[in-house]
């Protein structure tokens, strides 16, 4: 079984379209949350994910943009984008986002896998360091947990007393590129596919991952997309200019 794993699309239609075109064939699409927020195409992105995803977990921006939570904890730029997104979305799309479950959720027939947004222990937790990863790896009880939220592609793993982190090793900055992780036996993983719509690892390309249950691999991918159009949509919507500029910077 091949699962296409997406996270943190953040209303970036151009990046999502590039990912779907580059992903090839897949059996299921798993969405790890934050479909909206920041980007200027919330309705188009929600409609695509609604039609394609077999499993969804909500993100913190999804929660705020559909009205389930307040934007008080957001910085001014994120708050402005969330309020615009709430008003821009159709009632049908807001209602759908409001019904997306909180993680963790498990794919049917794959008991060793869990999907979450921030962490299987707390949907809003940022797992940035090994210190952050220690609790979820110890307490999740599953072999593989796919997470998003940080917008950083890579992850953490634990085998007996050995702990390590990993990041894809890419050689270019403007082309489609892949990096494959072979999953070891008796090892627990926290794996982040990266952000489709707003990467923060200084690589502007859209990020995604493919999990292959038969090959026991996770293939990380980066794909260029029509950045100028995505930036133009943000500016035309009169969203904060910073949201357009940071797309080029990948941060």
């Amino acid at each position: 079984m091949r699962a296409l794993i997406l996270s943190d699309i953040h209303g970036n239609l151009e990046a999502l379209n590039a990912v779907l075109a580059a992903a090839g064939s897949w059996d299921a699409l798993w969405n790890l949350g934050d479909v909206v927020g920041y980007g200027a195409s919330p309705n188009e992105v929600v409609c695509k994910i609604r039609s394609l995803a077999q499993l969804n977990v909500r993100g913190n921006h999804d929660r705020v943009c559909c009205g389930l939570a307040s934007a008080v904890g957001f910085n001014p730029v994120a708050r402005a984008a969330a309020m615009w997104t709430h008003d821009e979305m159709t009632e049908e799309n807001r209602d759908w986002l409001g019904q997306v479950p909180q993680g963790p959720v498990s794919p049917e027939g794959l008991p060793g896998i869990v999907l979450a947004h921030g962490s299987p222990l707390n949907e809003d937790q940022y797992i940035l360091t090994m210190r952050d990863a220690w609790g979820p790896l110890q307490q999740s009880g599953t072999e593989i947990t796919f997470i998003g939220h940080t917008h950083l592609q890579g992850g953490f793993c634990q085998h007996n007393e050995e702990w390590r982190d990993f990041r894809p090793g890419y050689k270019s900055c403007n082309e489609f590129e892949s990096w494959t992780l072979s999953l070891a036996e008796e090892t627990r993983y926290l794996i982040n596919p990266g952000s489709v719509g707003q990467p923060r690892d200084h690589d502007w390309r859209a990020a995604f991952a493919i999990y292959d249950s038969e090959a026991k691999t996770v293939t990380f991918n980066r794909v260029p997309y029509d950045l100028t159009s995505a930036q133009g949509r943000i500016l035309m919507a009169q969203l904060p200019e910073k949201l357009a500029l940071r797309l080029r910077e990948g941060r």
Side-chain angles (χ1 to χ4, degrees), residues 6-8 29-35 49 53-60 62-63 96-97 99-106 114-119 123 146-148:
L6 309 182
S7 190
D8 299 282
L29 191 156
W30 300 342
N31 159 42
L32 305 183
D34 277 357
V35 175
I49 292 300
Q54 282 69 42
L55 278 177
N56 298 280
V57 296
R58 74 185 185 191
N60 54 314
D62 299 331
R63 204 170 63 235
W96 179 82
L97 269 184
Q99 294 170 18
V100 172
Q102 175 181 345
V105 300
S106 296
V114 155
L115 314 181
H117 182 63
S119 158
E123 64 179 330
F146 289 106
I147 57 171

Side-chain angles (χ1 to χ4, degrees), residues 11-111:
N12 188 332
L13 180 64
E14 287 74 17
L16 177 58
N17 283 339
V19 164
L20 293 173
S25 61
W26 38 269
D27 303 305
L29 191 156
W30 300 342
N31 159 42
L32 305 183
D34 277 357
V35 175
V36 297
Y38 299 137
S41 303
N43 286 305
E44 296 90 338
V45 168
V46 169
C47 287
K48 277 186 180 287
I49 292 300
R50 287 177 61 186
S51 66
L52 295 174
Q54 282 69 42
L55 278 177
N56 298 280
V57 296
R58 74 185 185 191
N60 54 314
H61 284 260
D62 299 331
R63 204 170 63 235
V64 171
C65 290
C66 74
L68 283 179
S70 167
V72 169
F74 281 7
N75 65 54
V77 170
R79 188 182 310 126
M83 296 300 94
W84 178 89
T85 300
H86 175 274
D87 294 341
E88 183 72 12
M89 278 195 297
T90 66
E91 183 177 358
E92 182 180 3
N93 284 336
R94 281 199 303 269
D95 289 346
W96 179 82
L97 269 184
Q99 294 170 18
V100 172
Q102 175 181 345
V105 300
S106 296
E108 186 176 355
L110 296 169

Side-chain angles (χ1 to χ4, degrees), residues 114-210:
V114 155
L115 314 181
H117 182 63
S119 158
L121 307 180
N122 181 338
E123 64 179 330
D124 292 335
Q125 179 186 359
Y126 287 93
I127 299 180
L128 296 165
T129 66
M130 187 61 76
R131 184 184 297 274
D132 301 327
W134 189 89
L137 283 172
Q138 287 291 298
Q139 299 176 49
S140 66
T142 57
E143 296 175 6
I144 306 171
T145 302
F146 289 106
I147 57 171
H149 198 36
T150 66
H151 299 212
L152 302 175
Q153 196 175 51
F156 305 86
C157 64
Q158 178 244 328
H159 174 72
N160 296 329
E161 300 303 314
E162 179 185 359
W163 300 74
R164 67 181 180 91
D165 60 2
F166 51 88
R167 296 287 182 269
Y170 298 122
K171 298 180 180 179
S172 72
C173 58
N174 292 304
E175 300 175 359
F176 174 72
E177 206 167 353
S178 298
W179 186 86
T180 298
L181 171 72
S182 295
L183 301 171
E185 298 290 338
E186 299 180 355
T187 302
R188 290 183 178 179
Y189 291 90
L190 286 169
I191 298 176
N192 193 321
S195 172
V196 172
Q198 196 192 84
R200 293 180 185 169
D201 52 5
H202 302 283
D203 186 335
W204 69 277
R205 296 172 294 179
F208 66 100
I210 300 274

Side-chain angles (χ1 to χ4, degrees), residues 40 80 84 232-241:
W84 178 89
R233 286 180 189 265
I234 289 171
L235 297 176
M236 290 295 290
Q238 298 186 324
L239 286 161
E241 184 179 4

